[in-house]
Structure formats: structure tokens, C-alpha cells
Amino acid sequence: MRTPIVAGNWKMNKTVEEARLLVFDMSRKLREIEGVDKVLCPPFPALLAVSALLQGTDIGMGAQNLYWEEKGAFTGEVAPNMVAEFCKYVIIGHSERRAYFGETDETVNKKVRAALAHDLTPIMCVGETEDEYESNRTGEVVRRQISLGLTEVDPAKAASLIVAYEPIWAIGTGKASSGENANAVLADYIRPALADLFGADTAQAIRIQYGGSVNGSNADEFFSQPEIDGALVGGASLKKDDFVAIVQAASKS
Ligand code: PEP
């Protein structure tokens, strides 16, 4: 049995003060929900304030990125040990980082390995573009992203990884995949690719989220699927009622 995990990716939203207000607003309700791992991923400047508010709760915190080097002349970057001071999780290879900031499967792999070396849990994102989806290349794309993104990952640490399957055409568009379609991608391509790398037992233990326009109304459709172990949520994670409803749906799955 894999415990479902729902993570809210706040992206480039919320000042420190706004972040505090949002956490005040949602944390009491979130704490009441059991049987699901809950994670908030605010932007870097808000991590300190949010971590203080989450102290002593069962709500985890994640960063939205890191750099793989330990320290030095890398202006604007954040090292893994700096992230690990506050966070348990880190999102890596989000499609927006791949599209706007030049991230590749190779840099994603460096980041995943750096995160694991610092005992952070990577949430590694994979997913196809609309063109790739329409030309039936989803399998080829996500298999490549898994195999290159996770190359040379220590098999002893692999079970703690989280993979987020996020079809790019569904992110922020309100056009979610169907639960059945997403489940098939996980069953036919992602878990088999994980098994090729780490063996069937470890592949079964790795949690795979769906991401892409999940909200309080459609969450059940995804969480009722056997392969889907939670969600990576963008827009709806900034709305208390929606995010709480998503976490509630995951807890019942
Ligand atoms: C995301 O950015 O990871 C995401 C899933 O966004 P949204 O929920 O807004 O589609």
C-alpha cells in the first residue's frame, strides 16, 4: 500500500505575508485530514516563515527547485543543503522550468541525485506536450524522461522518490486528462520504466502523482485510479477550499 501524497506548488505566487495568511487559513483543516501526506511548496523567500508555521504539524514543506552544486559562485541559485535546512521535499524538472529555464533530462538528473544525497525527497516531474500527445508519443517521452532523469540514482534510495506525471497540455489550462488516461500512462509506461531501472518491487513502492488542472471537483476521478498516488496541484493549491477538498479526496482513496 502506497500512502497518497498531495503537494501544492504555489509557483511564483505569495509574498511572505500572503504566504503566512494562506497557511493560517488552510492548516487547521489540513491537519484534521489523515491517511495522506500533505506538502506545501511556497516560493523560496517564504520558506522560513512557512516552516515556522508548520512546526509541530504533519504538513510537510517542499521547495520548487534547487541547484546541484554544494556552494560557490552560482549567482541566484540555491544549494541542496540550503533547501534541506527547511524542506523535506523538492520539486524537480517541472515543465515550466524545462520550458522557460532550459532544464534538460541531464540537469534534472543532477538535481535529483543532489537532492537524494541531502536526504531530500525529489518530486520529479515528467509529461508530454500537446503535440507529443496528439502524435501518440506520450510513452516514448515519459520513458525517456524517467530513464535519463533517474540514471545512476542509488537503488537503495529510489523507493523514496516521487514522480509527478503532468501532461503539459493539462497544466494550468483547466483541461485535465481523464483519470483513465492518466492511469494508463502510469501503468503502461512510467511504472515499467521505473521497474527497468530499479526492479519491480522498488517500482511498486514509488509513489506517482498526477498533475494538471486537478481541483476539488475532479480529484476523486484521479484518486480512484489504482496507479495514481496523489496529485501535484498548481492553481487550486492557492485556494483553501479547493486544496482541502483535494486532500480530503486523497485521504479517502
Ligand atoms: C503544476 O503546475 O504542477 C500544475 C499541476 O498546475 P495546475 O494544477 O494549475 O494545472
Side-chain angles (χ1 to χ4, degrees), residues 9 11 94 96 166 170-173 211-214 232-236:
N9 173 13
K11 311 194 184 189
H94 190 281
E96 288 151 14
E166 300 205 301
I171 295 180
T173 58
S213 298
V214 177
L232 181 56
V233 184

Side-chain angles (χ1 to χ4, degrees), residues 43-65:
F44 282 121
L47 290 180
L48 177 59
V50 171
S51 76
L53 292 175
L54 297 181
Q55 281 278 320
T57 76
D58 65 347
I59 305 168
M61 197 173 68
Q64 298 173 19
N65 185 28

Side-chain angles (χ1 to χ4, degrees), residues 5-37:
I5 175 163
V6 175
N9 173 13
W10 293 5
K11 311 194 184 189
M12 197 174 72
N13 294 291
K14 305 294 174 192
T15 62
V16 173
E17 206 38 47
E18 289 164 349
R20 276 205 189 96
L21 289 173
L22 184 58
V23 175
F24 272 133
D25 205 27
M26 57 169 65
S27 71
R28 191 180 55 80
K29 285 262 185 219
L30 289 177
R31 277 182 289 159
E32 287 166 4
I33 309 171
E34 294 180 342
V36 50
D37 290 343

